[in-house]
Amino acid sequence: MGSDDPRRTLTLRDVSEASGVSEMTVSRVLRQRGDVSDATRERVLKAARELGYVPNKIAGALASQRVNLVGVVIPSLSNMVFPEVMTGISAVLENTGLQPVVGVTNYLPEREEKTVYEMLSWRPSGLILAGLEHSAASRAMLRQAGVPLVEIMDIDGQPVDSAVGISHRRAGRQMAEAIVASGYRNIAFMGTQMPNDFRAKKRLEGFEEALRRAGLALVDREYYDGGSALLKGREMTAAVLRRSPQVDFLYYSNDMIGAGGLLYCLDQGIDVPGRVGLAGFNGVELLDGLPRRLATMDACRLEIGTKAAQIIAARNADPELGPEVIELFPTLQPGDTIRQR
Amino acid sequence: MGSDDPRRTLTLRDVSEASGVSEMTVSRVLRQRGDVSDATRERVLKAARELGYVPNKIAGALASQRVNLVGVVIPSLSNMVFPEVMTGISAVLENTGLQPVVGVTNYLPEREEKTVYEMLSWRPSGLILAGLEHSAASRAMLRQAGVPLVEIMDIDGQPVDSAVGISHRRAGRQMAEAIVASGYRNIAFMGTQMPNDFRAKKRLEGFEEALRRAGLALVDREYYDGGSALLKGREMTAAVLRRSPQVDFLYYSNDMIGAGGLLYCLDQGIDVPGRVGLAGFNGVELLDGLPRRLATMDACRLEIGTKAAQIIAARNADPELGPEVIELFPTLQPGDTIRQR
DNA sequence: ATGAAAGCGCTAACAC
DNA sequence: GTGTTAGCGCTTTCAT
């Protein structure tokens, strides 16, 4: 077998010996680089295939100082928003020879710090990171890293390097303005209990700011933590309407709890949007299947993913390129749950 | 600054020079290995922190022949099932020093082959791979790989190495038996148009087999492709009920389209489960928030993730351990959409 | 408790 | 078109 230890993995040398060609030439064939005669190429490929050789990228990366990996650090996979961002990223990277590698932080800053550290320690070709708020240590690492970095989702703040996102503060403001313009006056808010979801927090800030300018304030608010978002939306909505019967609009921090609230209102025979209006945030596909279309705002998830990946790819191809900050503009989808005036 | 090229990333040597200690000792401090005096440790840590040094895992991995990465290859992130598997995997790996790395195949065998190849070329500490069906080339690579492998989700077939999953064939059978036992006789099926979703296919096979044994056959069937699953569930259900008015049970290949069907039936004022019964598959959290509880089967997603990660972790700690095949048993949740007899 | 030497498996750079 | 040499940044092993 040409090997003493049967459990050792194959190396270039094994392919070299099996094909009677130098390691260097084998390397060239396998990387499709430089000129190799067809005859040699065939012999090498045959030998590699027969042995079942898989190149060792660790050694290759160390020698070439090149790693075709792009780290993607996101808070969660389970809220329908990041999977779509990933779709955009994957679609773009597919044609660039770069591979996305996902890390999940669960909205915990210490997990983010650790994940960023781990990713950077693999010297990736780029890093895509959700949000603009990071620990001091994370920011220091990111600045030092020397790889293209794109902070995504949010634009309200100071990016370390490049950024692609929307203004959540403005999104909240816009929604509040639309609601007030439609004549609603007694507005309640429902959201998740997540101190580190800064984007939800900014939306609410913008929302309340616009209310204040209209001489209004939130009539009630409710937060939840864990469990089925749809169910929690129902429960919170029931609680709010019971506690504050004067409420005529329900603003949700995301579509999933908004959908739960909508189903609850319809169950109860509440006139929507006459007696009560509702709005969520994200523009998730799910809404298309509900009995009534929930008002929402598209968070530009796919486009955020594609633009971020494009920045990484471009800066990889041309290291002279500088940072780039791209703001996207979500559109308000009034659906059927806001009164038309 | 002790460096000619300001863009060069820091190495052990930089920390060594900054702290006046040999590279070897710096390495020991940073890996928390071997005996180092407290004074030296402090000096080294201080220097590393001040420089913003991030170790190069590529070099470390090459030298130590050890990579603390576990590849996870799954078909999709967007169907609520794999995120929960990931949660189970992450929870277990967190305490082992191993890090999950996700790759997505979109149910395409060629993408799976490429992803497996890429992952193996990083010489990970283990690989977790969804499903038992893989291309011949993939199987060959996996056999040669020399790393612990766990195929997850499915148990109906021949694993390459370890496996954790449920029998989808039996799950389909069980559901059919429950439906028939409840007196339904005119049963229609709705599912996704995905030739490579072998688990959905096996469920349907088991389902039809049980029907056959009861002297029945599917009355109608409908497939969809892409778009909002909830909406497609509504549309397919409307089409089936229009086309085959005699249908008294709707079996869906997943909960999301089942939920759409349920909402449609309720919208239409159809008596559920009297006139029509419904059932899905997966036991997703979403169902908790619907007006009526859809019958379903829990796919043991979290437990599949944890068990798979445990196998990898255990075999990493003790390389003498052999493969392990674990079958889990999903429970049928009748909900409110199957008649009680 | 600390240091020196060798080498992990590959590729850049150059020679032929 | 192919081979040779050196070395990527660490860790292993052995010496002190």
Side-chain angles (χ1 to χ4, degrees):
Chain A
M1 299 297 290
S3 159
D4 296 345
D5 173 7
R7 302 182 52 159
R8 183 181 63 83
T9 65
L10 271 14
T11 70
L12 263 191
R13 168 174 229 104
D14 295 303
V15 183
S16 165
E17 285 171 1
S19 62
V21 176
S22 78
E23 289 184 41
M24 198 54 232
T25 299
V26 174
S27 170
R28 282 195 268 252
V29 170
L30 264 21
R31 284 177 301 143
Q32 338 201 31
R33 272 247 202 309
D35 292 321
V36 182
S37 75
D38 285 358
T40 315
R41 184 196 323 286
E42 285 317 314
R43 273 204 300 164
V44 169
L45 287 177
K46 180 156 172 288
R49 234 188 333 257
E50 282 176 358
L51 292 171
Y53 172 72
V54 176
N56 185 332
K57 285 224 178 185
I58 297 171
L62 184 61
S64 68
Q65 306 280 56
R66 221 186 303 285
V67 177
N68 68 335
L69 259 29
V70 175
V72 181
V73 180
I74 56 183
S76 163
L77 283 176
S78 45
N79 55 10
M80 338 203 76
V81 9
F82 293 106
E84 200 165 341
V85 176
M86 283 307 306
T87 302
I89 293 173
S90 304
V92 171
L93 293 189
E94 201 143 329
N95 314 309
T96 63
L98 297 171
Q99 274 249 326
V101 173
V102 186
V104 177
T105 68
N106 290 317
Y107 287 100
L108 299 173
E110 66 271 21
R111 296 269 318 163
E112 176 178 288
E113 198 171 309
K114 196 184 159 197
T115 308
V116 166
Y117 185 82
E118 286 286 320
M119 295 230 154
L120 289 181
S121 71
W122 287 101
R123 302 290 190 268
S125 290
L127 200 63
I128 296 175
L129 178 58
L132 295 168
E133 285 77 15
H134 317 292
S135 72
S138 292
R139 295 178 70 91
M141 275 191 283
L142 294 167
R143 261 192 306 265
Q144 291 290 325
V147 307
L149 164 71
V150 186
E151 287 166 276
I152 57 170
M153 312 307 290
D154 190 5
I155 208 80
D156 292 325
Q158 188 59 51
V160 172
D161 189 25
S162 292
V164 183
I166 65 171
S167 165
H168 287 264
R169 199 163 278 133
R170 169 148 28 125
R173 224 154 44 212
Q174 268 180 265
M175 185 55 90
E177 285 160 3
I179 291 167
V180 172
S182 291
Y184 297 101
R185 289 296 175 269
N186 297 296
I187 302 162
F189 170 80
M190 279 155 279
T192 44
Q193 185 60 272
M194 287 207 272
N196 295 313
D197 186 348
F198 296 100
R199 294 176 290 285
K201 190 172 285 179
K202 287 171 185 172
R203 286 199 298 279
L204 181 55
E205 281 169 14
F207 192 85
E208 293 198 80
E209 180 195 322
L211 288 191
R212 218 174 303 123
R213 271 197 241 146
L216 298 174
L218 284 179
V219 164
D220 198 352
R221 65 180 75 208
E222 182 96 11
Y223 295 89
Y224 82 101
D225 189 11
S228 158
L230 205 61
L231 179 58
K232 291 295 177 178
R234 292 183 94 92
E235 294 174 352
M236 289 194 291
T237 303
V240 163
L241 291 179
R242 191 177 330 112
R243 188 167 57 211
S244 312
Q246 78 277 27
V247 161
D248 64 1
F249 201 96
L250 302 162
Y251 179 52
Y252 298 88
S253 76
N254 70 64
D255 285 340
M256 204 66 174
I257 53 175
L262 175 58
L263 290 175
Y264 172 79
C265 289
L266 297 178
D267 273 9
Q268 299 291 310
I270 295 170
D271 172 16
V272 174
R275 161 75 184 81
V276 174
L278 301 90
F281 181 84
N282 264 338
V284 301
E285 226 176 29
L286 171 96
L287 298 186
D288 294 344
L290 295 180
R292 201 86 50 101
R293 294 198 52 122
L294 181 69
T296 190
M297 284 183 89
D298 174 28
C300 307
R301 303 187 296 285
L302 192 74
E303 198 177 357
I304 285 175
T306 55
K307 289 254 186 271
Q310 278 161 0
I311 291 176
I312 299 285
R315 293 182 59 179
N316 236 268
D318 177 2
E320 298 302 307
L321 257 35
E324 196 170 341
V325 175
I326 301 179
E327 177 170 5
L328 301 176
F329 296 91
T331 53
L332 197 154
Q333 298 161 3
D336 315 314
T337 61
I338 294 187
R339 277 199 295 263
Q340 302 301 313
R341 304 215 80 190
Chain B
M1 299 298 291
S3 159
D4 296 343
D5 173 6
R7 299 183 54 160
R8 182 182 62 82
T9 66
L10 273 13
T11 69
L12 262 189
R13 167 176 227 105
D14 295 301
V15 183
S16 164
E17 285 172 0
S19 61
V21 175
S22 79
E23 288 185 41
M24 199 48 236
T25 300
V26 173
S27 170
R28 282 196 268 253
V29 171
L30 264 22
R31 283 177 301 142
Q32 337 200 34
R33 270 246 205 312
D35 292 321
V36 182
S37 73
D38 285 358
T40 317
R41 182 194 324 285
E42 285 317 312
R43 274 204 300 166
V44 169
L45 287 176
K46 181 157 171 289
R49 235 189 331 257
E50 281 175 359
L51 292 171
Y53 171 72
V54 177
N56 186 331
K57 287 223 178 185
I58 297 172
L62 183 61
S64 67
Q65 306 279 55
R66 222 186 302 285
V67 177
N68 67 335
L69 259 29
V70 175
V72 182
V73 179
I74 56 183
S76 163
L77 282 176
S78 45
N79 55 12
M80 335 203 80
V81 8
F82 293 107
E84 200 165 340
V85 176
M86 282 309 304
T87 303
I89 292 174
S90 304
V92 171
L93 293 189
E94 199 144 331
N95 314 308
T96 64
L98 296 172
Q99 275 249 326
V101 173
V102 186
V104 177
T105 68
N106 291 318
Y107 288 100
L108 300 173
E110 65 271 22
R111 296 270 317 162
E112 177 180 286
E113 196 171 310
K114 196 183 160 200
T115 308
V116 166
Y117 185 82
E118 287 285 323
M119 294 227 156
L120 288 181
S121 71
W122 288 101
R123 303 288 190 267
S125 291
L127 201 63
I128 295 174
L129 178 57
L132 295 169
E133 285 76 17
H134 317 293
S135 71
S138 292
R139 296 178 68 93
M141 273 191 283
L142 294 168
R143 260 192 307 265
Q144 290 290 325
V147 306
L149 164 71
V150 186
E151 288 166 276
I152 56 169
M153 311 307 290
D154 191 3
I155 208 79
D156 292 324
Q158 188 60 49
V160 172
D161 188 23
S162 293
V164 183
I166 65 172
S167 165
H168 287 265
R169 199 162 277 133
R170 167 144 33 121
R173 223 154 44 210
Q174 268 180 262
M175 185 57 90
E177 285 161 3
I179 291 166
V180 172
S182 291
Y184 298 100
R185 290 295 175 270
N186 297 294
I187 302 162
F189 170 81
M190 279 154 277
T192 45
Q193 186 59 272
M194 287 208 272
N196 294 313
D197 186 346
F198 297 99
R199 293 176 290 286
K201 189 172 287 179
K202 288 171 186 174
R203 285 198 298 279
L204 180 55
E205 282 169 14
F207 191 85
E208 293 197 81
E209 180 196 321
L211 289 190
R212 218 174 304 122
R213 271 197 241 145
L216 299 173
L218 283 178
V219 164
D220 198 351
R221 64 180 76 208
E222 181 97 12
Y223 295 89
Y224 82 101
D225 189 12
S228 158
L230 204 62
L231 179 58
K232 292 295 177 179
R234 293 183 92 92
E235 294 174 352
M236 288 193 291
T237 303
V240 163
L241 291 179
R242 191 178 330 112
R243 188 168 56 213
S244 312
Q246 79 277 27
V247 160
D248 63 1
F249 201 96
L250 303 162
Y251 179 51
Y252 299 89
S253 77
N254 70 62
D255 285 340
M256 204 68 173
I257 53 175
L262 176 59
L263 289 174
Y264 173 80
C265 289
L266 297 178
D267 274 10
Q268 299 291 312
I270 295 172
D271 173 14
V272 173
R275 162 76 184 79
V276 173
L278 301 91
F281 182 84
N282 264 340
V284 302
E285 227 175 29
L286 173 97
L287 298 186
D288 294 342
L290 296 179
R292 201 88 44 106
R293 293 197 55 122
L294 181 69
T296 189
M297 282 183 91
D298 174 28
C300 306
R301 304 186 295 286
L302 192 74
E303 199 177 357
I304 285 176
T306 56
K307 289 253 187 273
Q310 279 161 0
I311 291 177
I312 300 285
R315 293 181 58 178
N316 236 269
D318 177 3
E320 299 303 307
L321 257 35
E324 197 171 341
V325 176
I326 300 179
E327 177 171 5
L328 300 176
F329 297 90
T331 52
L332 196 154
Q333 298 160 3
D336 315 313
T337 62
I338 295 187
R339 277 199 295 262
Q340 301 302 313
R341 307 212 80 188

